[in-house]
Amino acid sequence: MVEVGYGTIEAGTSVVSDVVGGVAGHGRKVVDDVKGFFLDSDGASQTRTGMKQGVLAAMAYMLGWLSGVILYFVENDNTYVKYHASQSIVVFMGIGAVGWALQTITWITLGWSVFVLKVLNIATIGLWIYLMARAFLGGSTGEIFRLPYADRVADRLAA
């Protein structure tokens, strides 16, 4: 018999199986907690995937306009998720167009646009994190966060 941190192991038993067996009970609880975090068990906000609408709305911003396009077509019945997918498409395609224009200007002028492009990149990362957080937190209440100017186009796209 060998004494280890969580108990004793008898001769002839596998250390790996005892460790896995001891952790498995805790592992199931962690998996259940993760499922409860992502999956909508009470059915309050119906989505096609069965995930909570706040999680899906935050995922609409995860890969910029690309994840917005994917969720726009996958979750076309849930208005909360569809609006955030639409807003993601509008905002990040707009930022991409401005960034592309600034890169083109940089090739021509090699001047101030390099600084503006760096500021735009930092602001985009901040906006990206903020939009994911607002979409996730508003998912439980259904409150939609609307960005000025982008909301008009996103409303038409989501309708």
Side-chain angles (χ1 to χ4, degrees):
M1 194 174 310
V2 178
E3 186 72 30
V4 291
Y6 65 88
T8 59
I9 299 175
E10 293 191 26
T13 61
S14 167
V15 173
V16 174
S17 67
D18 284 349
V19 169
V20 170
V23 174
H26 298 293
R28 285 188 203 103
K29 180 171 178 1
V30 170
V31 169
D32 290 341
D33 289 346
V34 170
K35 282 182 183 177
F37 182 77
F38 288 109
L39 299 179
D40 188 16
S41 59
D42 60 358
S45 54
Q46 291 296 323
T47 61
R48 288 175 104 181
T49 60
M51 295 178 74
K52 291 182 179 179
Q53 69 178 1
V55 172
L56 283 176
M59 287 175 70
Y61 298 105
M62 189 93 39
L63 298 174
W65 62 267
L66 180 63
S67 56
V69 169
I70 292 168
L71 282 173
Y72 181 82
F73 290 110
V74 170
E75 283 295 333
N76 54 4
D77 295 334
N78 187 302
T79 57
Y80 185 79
V81 175
K82 190 171 182 178
Y83 177 81
H84 282 287
S86 301
Q87 185 165 268
S88 174
I89 294 167
V90 171
V91 168
F92 291 111
M93 277 194 168
I95 289 172
V98 169
W100 179 80
L102 285 173
Q103 284 180 335
T104 303
I105 291 170
T106 301
W107 278 90
I108 297 168
T109 63
L110 296 176
W112 60 270
S113 58
V114 173
F115 173 73
V116 174
L117 193 57
K118 297 273 187 212
V119 171
L120 179 67
N121 287 339
I122 292 169
T124 300
I125 292 170
L127 180 65
W128 174 66
I129 292 168
Y130 181 72
L131 287 172
M132 282 194 297
R134 288 295 302 255
F136 177 74
L137 296 173
S140 59
T141 62
E143 176 190 350
I144 294 178
F145 174 72
R146 299 173 184 275
L147 277 176
Y149 305 109
D151 63 345
R152 287 181 247 151
V153 179
D155 278 333
R156 280 188 263 139
L157 190 60

